[in-house]
Amino acid sequence: MIVIISNRNLNGKLDAKAKPFSFLGKDLGDHGNVYGKLINNNTRLSLYSESDKAKLFDPVVKKIKAGDARLSRPWVLFLHGNNQTTAKNIAKAVDIEKQHDVNVIAFSWPSQPYTGKQDPVLNAIKKEAVKHMIKALGGTNIVNMVLSKAAGKAEEFLRNYLQARMNAEKSPPDFSHALKVISDLLLKQTGKKVKLSFMCHSLGNYLLQNTVQNGMPVPIRFKNIMLHQADVDALSHAKWVKKLYPKKDRLYITANQYDYILMASNFVNRKERLGQTKHHYGVNNCTYIDLSDAAYTSAENEHEFFRLSDRAKGFSYTNDEIHALMGKVCRSERPAFSRTAGFTKKEDNCYHLVEYIDPIDDEIRHR
């Protein structure tokens, strides 16, 4: 099952009729949250207002209590990043559900507010961004691989990014309220029958940071928390992350030094991003996962590792070891960081996936 909670504007009247994905718009709404589920083979939305949200959650709770096999699977809350329409967000939620065998609650916030045409000024900014990326990489052999994506994505990224950040700064009250609804209407009503973890991607981490720093409640104790390729300042992340979870919870933070999206963000923010950092520090009671050492092989310059590759459709790349890790996190399991799982210890609380291409048969190996 896929549940959608959104603070986007509505393109029409909210009623009992099935809605297209475009019904949830590109701007921040003034109505609070709406709640819904995917229907018609994941092609339409059935939506409910704040006052009617129990009509969505009550039947789910009853089925879970009755032992419904699918709804009794682990649940994962998914908070997306920059430049996501409702349709893009739902496509990722569908993949997470299918590939990791979980139920998904997706909080869909307006992170693609710009839909204008190309601008000559942005083209100039793009060129400067690419120059900055080359300098940041120090002329390594991976530059061409990074620029193959960065040059084409820089304009798209920049034209959406600043407004999306502003929306992330305005969304914490709605996100915090969504967490309370999940806690009150799903978790508390089912007792300990629902396992829930949290996958927070890219700029979604900035929304989460603002939620925590503004003192808004995070009333759920997730089984696992994954701060996935976080687009937040690396140096100061410990100040708010330490407030996010008690010691008993399992927190994981991923990083890929060559992440092409975060390189563009680095250019805009002029500060190292947590999902791109080379320094794993600050929070002792968590696990940092460094994928940079696999950059020449499977991790490459990618920004998304929680779903499988489909080059034809433009999906990001991952591999068996990373995919297995993400699956365990989503299913509220404890992932392994052994050599058998493809990982080695880099620092006290940091593991890395080290791969190389065997010169004899061109196969990817682990060191």
Side-chain angles (χ1 to χ4, degrees), residues 132-269:
H132 176 78
M133 293 172 193
I134 294 175
K135 183 178 179 181
L137 283 169
T140 66
N141 292 333
I142 206 168
V143 167
N144 289 335
M145 182 177 67
V146 172
L147 294 186
S148 67
K149 285 196 172 183
K153 290 288 186 180
E155 180 183 350
E156 178 185 354
F157 176 86
L158 290 167
R159 69 186 182 186
N160 282 288
Y161 187 70
L162 296 181
Q163 181 61 51
R165 274 181 65 94
M166 291 174 62
N167 287 346
E169 291 166 359
K170 295 175 182 177
S171 293
D174 296 327
F175 180 62
S176 180
H177 181 65
L179 293 178
K180 186 176 187 306
V181 169
I182 295 168
S183 177
D184 290 347
L185 298 189
L186 180 63
L187 300 181
K188 290 181 180 178
Q189 297 302 317
T190 56
K192 297 182 179 180
K193 291 183 179 293
V194 169
K195 294 181 179 179
L196 178 64
S197 288
F198 183 20
M199 175 71 70
C200 189
H201 178 53
S202 193
L203 196 62
N205 287 271
Y206 184 61
L207 193 163
L208 178 63
Q209 176 184 348
N210 278 274
T211 303
V212 175
Q213 287 185 336
N214 291 339
M216 295 180 185
V218 180
I220 296 175
R221 294 297 174 238
F222 297 98
K223 298 295 184 180
N224 290 324
I225 300 174
M226 170 69 81
L227 305 186
H228 182 274
Q229 295 306 108
D231 188 1
V232 294
D233 295 348
L235 187 61
S236 62
H237 79 279
K239 295 178 181 178
W240 63 272
V241 169
K242 287 179 179 178
K243 301 176 183 179
L244 183 61
Y245 70 107
K247 290 184 178 180
K248 64 181 180 180
D249 281 355
R250 300 189 291 247
L251 173 69
Y252 307 95
I253 300 175
T254 66
N256 177 13
Q257 179 184 343
Y258 303 105
D259 184 323
Y260 72 104
I261 291 292
L262 295 184
M263 285 181 181
S265 175
N266 192 325
F267 170 75
V268 173
N269 292 286

Side-chain angles (χ1 to χ4, degrees), residues 321-339:
E321 289 79 16
I322 300 173
H323 189 251
L325 167 70
M326 296 297 166
K328 285 181 177 293
V329 171
C330 289
R331 292 188 298 273
S332 295
E333 301 169 6
R334 186 184 291 275
F337 294 97
S338 62
R339 284 189 173 274

